[in-house]
Protein backbone atom coordinates (compact mmCIF):
# COMPACT_ATOMS: atom_id res chain seq x y z
CA UNK A 1 0.00 0.00 0.00
CA UNK A 2 1.44 3.35 -0.99
CA UNK A 3 0.24 6.14 1.27
CA UNK A 4 1.85 9.51 0.79
CA UNK A 5 1.39 12.13 3.50
CA UNK A 6 2.37 15.74 2.77
CA UNK A 7 2.11 18.50 5.33
CA UNK A 8 1.96 21.90 3.65
CA UNK A 9 -0.08 23.50 6.46
CA UNK A 10 2.55 24.70 8.92
CA UNK A 11 0.61 22.78 11.59
CA UNK A 12 2.56 19.97 13.27
CA UNK A 13 1.12 16.52 12.52
CA UNK A 14 2.51 13.03 13.00
CA UNK A 15 2.68 11.96 9.37
CA UNK A 16 3.43 8.33 10.31
CA UNK A 17 0.21 8.18 12.37
CA UNK A 18 -1.90 9.28 9.39
CA UNK A 19 -0.15 6.85 7.06
CA UNK A 20 -0.85 4.06 9.58
CA UNK A 21 -4.52 5.08 9.76
CA UNK A 22 -4.74 5.07 5.97
CA UNK A 23 -3.26 1.57 5.79
CA UNK A 24 -5.58 0.34 8.53
CA UNK A 25 -8.74 1.71 6.89
CA UNK A 26 -7.79 0.51 3.41
CA UNK A 27 -6.95 -2.97 4.75
CA UNK A 28 -10.25 -3.09 6.66
CA UNK A 29 -12.13 -2.05 3.51
CA UNK A 30 -10.31 -4.73 1.50
CA UNK A 31 -8.60 -2.32 -0.86
CA UNK A 32 -5.84 -3.92 -2.94
CA UNK A 33 -2.46 -3.67 -1.15
CA UNK A 34 -0.85 -2.08 -4.22
CA UNK A 35 -3.31 0.82 -4.26
CA UNK A 36 -2.25 4.42 -3.69
CA UNK A 37 -3.62 7.15 -1.43
CA UNK A 38 -2.45 10.72 -0.86
CA UNK A 39 -3.17 12.70 2.33
CA UNK A 40 -2.36 16.41 2.19
CA UNK A 41 -2.56 18.97 5.01
CA UNK A 42 -3.01 22.57 3.84
CA UNK A 43 -3.61 26.00 5.36
CA UNK A 44 -6.91 27.89 5.25
CA UNK A 45 -5.94 29.93 2.18
CA UNK A 46 -5.33 26.83 0.07
CA UNK A 47 -8.41 25.07 1.46
CA UNK A 48 -10.58 28.11 0.75
CA UNK A 49 -9.37 28.18 -2.85
CA UNK A 50 -10.07 24.45 -3.28
CA UNK A 51 -13.49 24.74 -1.60
CA UNK A 52 -14.54 27.56 -3.93
CA UNK A 53 -13.08 25.90 -7.03
CA UNK A 54 -14.49 22.41 -6.54
CA UNK A 55 -17.57 22.85 -4.35
CA UNK A 56 -18.51 26.43 -5.27
CA UNK A 57 -18.79 27.23 -1.56
CA UNK A 58 -17.08 30.09 0.28
CA UNK A 59 -14.48 29.80 3.01
CA UNK A 60 -12.35 26.89 4.12
CA UNK A 61 -13.74 23.47 4.94
CA UNK A 62 -12.30 20.65 7.05
CA UNK A 63 -11.75 17.93 4.43
CA UNK A 64 -12.12 17.44 0.70
CA UNK A 65 -11.81 14.14 -1.15
CA UNK A 66 -10.71 13.84 -4.77
CA UNK A 67 -11.27 10.30 -6.10
CA UNK A 68 -9.15 9.03 -8.97
CA UNK A 69 -9.92 5.46 -10.05
CA UNK A 70 -13.28 5.29 -8.23
CA UNK A 71 -12.31 2.17 -6.31
CA UNK A 72 -14.97 0.59 -4.12
CA UNK A 73 -14.57 -1.56 -1.01
CA UNK A 74 -13.76 -5.21 -1.56
CA UNK A 75 -15.83 -8.07 -0.20
CA UNK A 76 -14.90 -10.99 2.06
CA UNK A 77 -12.07 -12.86 0.36
CA UNK A 78 -12.07 -10.46 -2.60
CA UNK A 79 -10.09 -7.21 -2.65
CA UNK A 80 -10.56 -4.34 -5.08
CA UNK A 81 -8.37 -4.13 -8.16
CA UNK A 82 -5.15 -2.18 -7.63
CA UNK A 83 -5.39 1.52 -8.44
CA UNK A 84 -5.10 5.08 -7.26
CA UNK A 85 -7.74 5.78 -4.65
CA UNK A 86 -7.19 9.55 -4.77
CA UNK A 87 -6.35 12.53 -2.58
CA UNK A 88 -7.66 13.67 0.78
CA UNK A 89 -7.00 17.32 1.60
CA UNK A 90 -7.33 18.38 5.25
CA UNK A 91 -7.21 21.78 6.93
CA UNK A 92 -5.85 21.55 10.49
CA UNK A 93 -6.88 25.14 11.30
CA UNK A 94 -10.53 24.24 10.72
CA UNK A 95 -10.06 20.99 12.66
CA UNK A 96 -8.80 22.93 15.72
CA UNK A 97 -12.14 24.73 16.03
CA UNK A 98 -14.16 21.57 15.43
CA UNK A 99 -12.11 19.60 17.96
CA UNK A 100 -12.74 22.19 20.65
CA UNK A 101 -16.49 22.10 19.94
CA UNK A 102 -16.49 18.28 20.05
CA UNK A 103 -14.39 18.09 23.21
CA UNK A 104 -11.48 16.10 21.84
CA UNK A 105 -7.97 16.75 20.55
CA UNK A 106 -7.12 18.23 17.17
CA UNK A 107 -5.28 15.02 16.29
CA UNK A 108 -8.41 12.97 17.02
CA UNK A 109 -10.44 15.34 14.83
CA UNK A 110 -7.92 15.05 12.00
CA UNK A 111 -7.93 11.24 12.30
CA UNK A 112 -11.74 11.30 12.13
CA UNK A 113 -11.65 13.58 9.08
CA UNK A 114 -9.07 11.35 7.40
CA UNK A 115 -11.27 8.29 7.92
CA UNK A 116 -14.24 10.29 6.62
CA UNK A 117 -12.27 11.35 3.54
CA UNK A 118 -11.18 7.78 2.76
CA UNK A 119 -14.78 6.59 2.95
CA UNK A 120 -15.78 9.32 0.49
CA UNK A 121 -13.03 8.10 -1.86
CA UNK A 122 -14.54 4.61 -1.60
CA UNK A 123 -17.95 5.87 -2.67
CA UNK A 124 -19.66 6.49 0.67
CA UNK A 125 -21.78 9.60 1.06
CA UNK A 126 -24.03 11.23 3.65
CA UNK A 127 -26.47 13.24 1.54
CA UNK A 128 -29.43 11.08 2.56
CA UNK A 129 -30.27 10.04 6.16
CA UNK A 130 -29.71 6.32 5.54
CA UNK A 131 -26.39 7.00 3.80
CA UNK A 132 -25.31 9.23 6.67
CA UNK A 133 -26.23 6.60 9.25
CA UNK A 134 -24.24 3.91 7.40
CA UNK A 135 -21.21 6.09 6.69
CA UNK A 136 -20.93 7.62 10.15
CA UNK A 137 -21.34 4.25 11.89
CA UNK A 138 -18.61 2.74 9.71
CA UNK A 139 -16.29 5.71 10.21
CA UNK A 140 -16.78 5.49 13.99
CA UNK A 141 -16.13 1.74 14.03
CA UNK A 142 -12.98 2.05 11.89
CA UNK A 143 -11.55 4.93 13.90
CA UNK A 144 -12.27 3.39 17.31
CA UNK A 145 -10.77 0.08 16.20
CA UNK A 146 -7.65 1.87 14.88
CA UNK A 147 -7.26 3.89 18.09
CA UNK A 148 -7.64 0.72 20.19
CA UNK A 149 -4.63 -0.81 18.37
CA UNK A 150 -2.35 2.19 19.02
Amino acid sequence: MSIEVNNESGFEVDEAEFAALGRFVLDAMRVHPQSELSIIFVDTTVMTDLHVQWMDEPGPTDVLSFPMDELRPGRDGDVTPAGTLGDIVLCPEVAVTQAKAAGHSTTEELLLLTTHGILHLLGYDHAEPEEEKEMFALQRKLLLTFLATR
Side-chain angles (χ1 to χ4, degrees), residues 76-96:
D76 286 333
D78 186 28
V79 298
T80 66
T84 301
L85 193 57
D87 301 330
I88 299 168
V89 182
L90 300 125
C91 186
E93 291 171 82
V94 173
V96 167

Side-chain angles (χ1 to χ4, degrees), residues 35-137:
S35 295
E36 299 174 20
L37 168 67
S38 177
I39 301 169
I40 307 158
F41 297 90
V42 299
D43 63 22
T44 54
T45 302
V46 172
M47 185 58 97
T48 298
D49 292 345
L50 290 171
H51 200 210
V52 169
Q53 179 181 358
W54 294 102
M55 304 301 289
D56 200 24
E57 294 185 23
T61 189
D62 50 6
V63 61
L64 290 171
S65 298
F66 298 96
M68 299 291 205
D69 291 341
E70 298 188 15
L71 300 176
R72 296 298 178 252
R75 306 239 185 270
D76 286 333
D78 186 28
V79 298
T80 66
T84 301
L85 193 57
D87 301 330
I88 299 168
V89 182
L90 300 125
C91 186
E93 291 171 82
V94 173
V96 167
T97 304
Q98 292 177 178
K100 286 179 186 172
H104 55 239
S105 74
T106 301
T107 298
E108 290 170 321
E109 183 71 14
L110 287 167
L111 290 168
L112 171 73
L113 294 171
T114 301
T115 305
H116 185 87
I118 293 171
L119 291 178
H120 272 305
L121 292 178
L122 289 169
Y124 287 87
D125 202 357
H126 47 86
E128 300 297 326
E130 279 304 311
E131 292 174 334
E132 180 177 325
K133 183 178 176 183
E134 177 186 11
M135 182 178 180
F136 284 41

